[in-house]
Amino acid sequence: MAEAIAEAERGLAEGGIPIGSVLVRDGRIIGRGRNRRIQQGSVIRHGEMDALENAGRQSAVIYRECALYTTLSPCPMCSGAILLYGIPRVIVGENQTFTGAEKLLRSHGVTVDVLQEARCIQLMADFIATHPRLWNEDIGV
């Protein structure tokens, strides 16, 4: 989770939303990412999607041996990618700010562990207090 938090902090330093993610296989990070919607003017570049993109093309076997660490509960789009690629485990930094599609993931057999990590909570609370318009744009409010 420390590496996902570092990605979130990098995103914040770039002027983006502080959500980070890493894709891990056999204890090694194979993809890392951060929410880059603002930086890249993207509609899909959430932290999880960025980590998957940065992992490059992998075989289905690889994804089924991975865990995805993300600082915030994954939205339906990111959860769909997790299901599409068969990632069996997701470790969530926090879901107090936003509870994504955790029920969907669990209903498809994905193990979802929520840590309620203090740094993840603080990053989002500070960002939302400072940039409510950007947060509301990202979650569709």
Side-chain angles (χ1 to χ4, degrees):
M1 185 55 68
E3 290 298 319
I5 291 170
E7 287 296 323
E9 290 170 339
R10 284 183 193 101
L12 182 63
E14 296 168 352
I17 299 169
I19 302 168
S21 186
V22 291
L23 185 65
V24 176
R25 178 178 182 237
D26 295 329
R28 187 176 66 84
I29 295 172
I30 64 169
R32 59 178 60 241
R34 55 192 168 273
N35 186 302
R36 295 183 199 228
R37 289 186 72 250
I38 295 167
Q39 300 94 309
Q40 294 184 355
S42 171
V43 298
I44 62 165
R45 223 41 191 246
H46 286 190
E48 300 89 342
M49 301 298 279
D50 196 45
L52 288 167
E53 178 68 19
N54 290 329
R57 217 172 97 210
Q58 303 291 329
S59 75
V61 171
I62 301 297
Y63 293 116
R64 288 193 297 264
E65 297 173 348
C66 287
L68 184 74
Y69 290 77
T70 183
T71 59
L72 187 65
S73 184
C75 74
M77 174 182 67
C78 296
S79 294
I82 291 163
L83 294 175
L84 176 68
Y85 294 111
I87 298 168
R89 184 168 181 227
V90 177
I91 300 91
V92 176
E94 69 104 345
N95 67 0
Q96 294 178 15
T97 302
F98 175 78
T99 301
E102 293 173 18
K103 288 181 184 177
L104 173 67
L105 291 170
R106 288 185 178 109
S107 76
H108 285 271
V110 176
T111 300
V112 179
D113 299 313
V114 181
L115 306 178
Q116 302 304 9
E117 168 66 44
R119 181 65 180 142
C120 296
I121 294 167
Q122 190 64 56
L123 277 166
M124 290 308 301
D126 291 348
F127 181 82
I128 292 167
T130 307
H131 304 286
R133 184 188 62 77
L134 290 175
W135 173 245
N136 290 335
E137 173 189 308
D138 195 48
I139 64 165
V141 174

